[in-house]
Amino acid sequence: MITCDIRIARSFLDDSTYITSRTKADLGLQQLQTKTGPGSEWLGWRDLLASPNDAILEEISSLGEKVRSDADVFIVCGIGGSYLGAKAVIDALTPHFGNKGPEIIYTGHHMGGKYLKELVSYLKTPKADGSAKSIYLNVISKSGSTLETALSFRTLREVMEGLYGEAANDRIICTTSASGGILNELIEKKGYRKFIIPDDVGGRFSVLTPVGLIPIAVAGIDIKSLFYGAVAAYNKYEENSEDIVEYAALRNALHEQGKTIDVFASFEPELSSIGGWIQQLLGESEGKEGKGIFPAVASFSTDLHSLGQFIQQGKRSVMETFIIVEDSFCDLEVTEMEGNDDNLNYLAGKSFHEINTKAREGTTEAHQDGNVPIVNISMKSLNAENIGALIYFFELLTGVFVYSLGVNPFNQPGVEDYKKAMYRLLGKEA
Ligand code: PA5
């Protein structure tokens, strides 16, 4: 389960500021639970945890096993909410090097031609034994028309048709809306296998639908534990949402106080993609109507050597949220070295977890002295269940906090502006 410790950050606020924000956060929770806030038609991410669909979990688990046993490469083709959640979970829960099962490659999340060209060439290059790579492709797009994703998909399905002929169609899995959009027309024409993104779940809230669950299952992660970890969190916060409301109130008060940047940082490199997912979830939800705290992502202690100076002594507009795993998940220790020629024997016998924990405590001490409000979000151990709980924690926090700002968390009108301008410049017909 997830614990949320706001004590350090709370000490930067006087009672009356906090109490005013607390009232707004209470109202935010109420709007969410009673479906009375703006955008309430997008609350399906809560409903799917209230009534879990075991049949779909089962279907996706078996698909994951089949693809795992057959594929050398699994391509996740999507952008924004259509891939960040899967990547976050996969990076958190699979080994950094030499993971068993297919290599997972992300595409469709930018227009970089060099990347795509190199990917095509990599896919076409036979394996060491001279045989063709076994490739599966999951295209994920709720609208079915996002240009970055559609262009990659067009390029890659041509590659797959070249490699496998008609049989390519059995290797392409589509995740999209129940109906509408050009992708649905292609599915109809080619007979691709289709999974549905529920209409009432927006992209950035969709990691626990087939959007995220298919790639996560292919990566060999137990999606039932992940999903039911989120269900447990849902049930817990339906009973008592105090942690969420306090955290939302705190963020609201810090927003009022002029904090404009929240650095989401973890000391575990495994969790840096979780930061990327939180960034999109909060960023697209809160950044509207001239409001919001810009969600930045950092990986510590790496980024203490790049952003640390700014956080410690730059413009005092920064708050931080640390994502913490309490228990060690790696037994590596520093060895005693004869001669001590690098002067590191004072650390001999200590685990890297202990050393990393001291790095975090030291950072907390320094940044607190530098007037940075810090929130600690912790899970006991790194496993699928806790990552599922963390996902729901941040989804709920996002809804409550953004409502507390008086903003609709579930639309993204600003994203359309770049698309309109880009399509006009590209000469797309209306
Ligand atoms: O959260 C969102 O709604 C967005 O980030 C979308 O996920 C993103 O724009 C991709 O859209 P689509 O799935 O329609 O291709």
Side-chain angles (χ1 to χ4, degrees):
M1 227 1 112
I2 305 304
T3 55
C4 172
D5 184 350
I6 64 163
R7 282 172 298 177
I8 295 176
R10 175 72 177 81
S11 69
F12 287 82
L13 295 166
D14 59 57
D15 281 351
S16 79
T17 311
Y18 179 75
I19 287 163
T20 308
S21 290
R22 168 77 204 213
T23 309
K24 294 179 188 166
D26 280 327
L27 180 66
L29 177 69
Q30 196 199 329
Q31 285 179 305
L32 197 91
Q33 287 182 327
T34 55
K35 298 192 171 183
T36 50
S40 59
E41 66 278 21
W42 295 94
L43 288 169
W45 49 277
R46 281 169 47 77
D47 301 333
L48 59 91
L49 298 176
S51 333
N53 180 342
D54 289 332
I56 188 84
L57 292 177
E58 208 51 66
E59 187 184 353
I60 294 174
S61 296
S62 342
L63 172 67
E65 269 167 41
K66 185 194 168 295
V67 174
R68 261 179 92 63
S69 64
D70 193 31
D72 297 307
V73 177
F74 181 75
I75 302 169
V76 179
C77 182
I79 193 167
S82 286
Y83 89 106
L84 285 167
K87 186 168 191 316
V89 176
I90 292 169
D91 288 357
L93 297 174
T94 58
H96 291 283
F97 310 104
N99 191 17
K100 291 199 187 84
E103 179 184 4
I104 297 186
I105 294 179
Y106 302 91
T107 188
H109 56 290
H110 56 71
M111 315 276 200
K114 181 171 183 289
Y115 181 96
L116 196 56
K117 187 172 176 194
E118 287 177 10
L119 175 56
V120 167
S121 148
Y122 176 70
L123 295 174
K124 285 181 175 171
T125 306
K127 294 193 280 186
D129 65 5
S131 62
K133 289 187 176 97
S134 170
I135 304 162
Y136 281 75
L137 168 64
N138 184 193
V139 58
I140 308 160
S141 179
K142 188 166 184 201
S143 60
S145 60
T146 302
L147 188 59
E148 290 86 342
T149 304
L151 277 177
S152 274
F153 183 45
R154 166 189 275 220
T155 309
L156 296 180
R157 72 192 161 89
E158 271 174 357
V159 171
M160 291 180 69
E161 282 163 11
L163 286 173
Y164 313 115
E166 285 252 315
N169 298 354
D170 302 330
R171 292 170 170 269
I172 293 176
I173 302 155
C174 302
T175 312
T176 190
S177 298
S179 59
I182 194 79
L183 186 54
N184 268 313
E185 287 175 30
L186 273 172
I187 293 168
E188 188 91 343
K189 182 168 149 200
K190 301 271 189 178
Y192 300 140
R193 184 159 179 188
K194 170 177 165 176
F195 286 82
I196 291 174
I197 310 172
D199 283 345
D200 55 2
V201 181
R204 58 191 172 276
F205 289 84
S206 68
V207 54
L208 298 172
T209 72
V211 169
L213 294 177
I214 294 174
I216 292 168
V218 171
I221 294 162
D222 178 358
I223 58 165
K224 291 174 201 155
S225 297
L226 179 84
F227 192 89
Y228 274 93
V231 170
Y234 171 85
N235 290 330
K236 174 183 153 171
Y237 296 124
E238 283 309 281
E239 224 165 79
N240 181 351
S241 308
E242 191 56 21
D243 275 3
I244 300 285
V245 178
E246 275 197 342
Y247 182 19
L250 175 102
R251 253 182 146 254
N252 183 295
L254 290 170
H255 177 264
E256 289 297 306
Q257 226 189 39
K259 295 296 176 220
T260 54
I261 301 169
D262 190 352
V263 179
F264 287 85
S266 170
F267 284 74
E268 317 290 351
E270 292 74 21
L271 297 187
S272 75
S273 301
I274 293 272
W277 172 76
I278 294 170
Q279 179 175 55
Q280 194 236 354
L281 178 68
L282 270 163
E284 272 195 359
S285 302
E286 67 179 292
K288 290 160 211 168
E289 302 175 27
K291 297 180 188 170
I293 305 178
F294 182 86
V297 184
S299 199
F300 288 167
S301 58
T302 312
D303 291 329
L304 291 174
H305 297 257
S306 68
L307 296 170
Q309 172 59 40
F310 189 108
I311 295 170
Q312 187 71 40
Q313 294 181 333
K315 192 167 164 59
R316 298 299 69 198
S317 53
V318 181
M319 63 176 287
E320 282 181 302
T321 306
F322 292 165
I323 314 289
I324 298 165
V325 181
E326 284 166 13
D327 291 350
S328 170
F329 49 94
C330 166
D331 57 6
L332 187 67
E333 285 185 357
V334 179
T335 50
E336 177 95 33
M337 194 176 266
E338 213 184 305
N340 192 24
D341 54 6
D342 54 7
N343 290 336
L344 290 175
N345 273 357
Y346 76 102
L347 295 174
K350 285 198 192 305
S351 70
F352 275 72
H353 179 75
E354 278 174 274
I355 297 169
N356 208 4
T357 303
K358 294 297 168 216
R360 174 167 50 79
E361 289 169 2
T363 307
T364 303
E365 209 175 289
H367 289 187
Q368 197 180 346
D369 284 351
N371 285 324
V372 180
I374 297 171
V375 174
N376 286 317
I377 309 294
S378 313
M379 66 188 102
K380 182 103 181 83
S381 44
L382 184 58
N383 57 37
E385 215 177 321
N386 285 340
I387 294 291
L390 187 74
I391 287 170
Y392 183 68
F393 175 91
F394 273 106
E395 287 179 343
L396 184 59
L397 182 268
T398 299
V400 175
F401 166 66
V402 179
Y403 272 154
S404 81
L405 295 179
V407 166
N408 178 353
F410 305 113
N411 59 4
Q412 52 283 329
V415 181
E416 296 312 311
D417 293 353
Y418 103 88
K419 289 188 194 166
K420 270 188 218 144
M422 174 180 71
Y423 285 132
R424 178 178 45 75
L425 293 168
L426 287 171
K428 185 183 180 194
E429 283 165 27

